[in-house]
Amino acid sequence: MRNIKSKCDSYLELLPENASEVQIKETEMAFYAGAAAILAIMYELGGDDVSDEAGEAVLQSLHDEAVSYANSLTIGPNQTDDVHLGI
């Protein structure tokens, strides 16, 4: 599905089975905050003052930033590289 909830639910499955309700809720809130930040950037890119090339460069930069962050993380015992942030 192409909605934030389905992506968030998939991400929450990576939490340990014994994760507390607080940890689950804080993770969900952080996920939605990140989604809102990306949406704000996307709305900015949709402005008439941003060329297609400039927008493409920003999207590539965001992807590169996310991959770099994912690569900097330590993999937990229940995770593998192929689920690393879903990137």
Side-chain angles (χ1 to χ4, degrees), residues 4 38 68 77:
I4 297 169
I38 292 296
S68 176

Side-chain angles (χ1 to χ4, degrees), residues 42-56:
M42 299 296 287
Y43 279 122
E44 291 173 13
L45 295 179
D48 292 337
D49 60 331
V50 179
S51 70
D52 289 347
E53 293 80 17
E56 184 177 338

Side-chain angles (χ1 to χ4, degrees), residues 64-76:
D64 294 346
E65 180 182 357
V67 169
S68 176
Y69 176 76
N71 289 336
S72 74
L73 298 176
T74 302
I75 304 291

Side-chain angles (χ1 to χ4, degrees), residues 66-87:
V67 169
S68 176
Y69 176 76
N71 289 336
S72 74
L73 298 176
T74 302
I75 304 291
N78 297 324
Q79 297 175 329
T80 62
D81 284 326
D82 60 329
V83 299
H84 214 167
L85 293 184
I87 298 171

Side-chain angles (χ1 to χ4, degrees), residues 9 11-28 78-79:
D9 288 346
Y11 187 75
L12 291 173
E13 290 177 9
L14 299 176
L15 292 177
E17 288 184 22
N18 63 344
S20 70
E21 287 298 316
V22 170
Q23 182 179 5
I24 293 168
K25 181 51 81 177
E26 287 179 348
T27 301
E28 183 180 53
N78 297 324
Q79 297 175 329

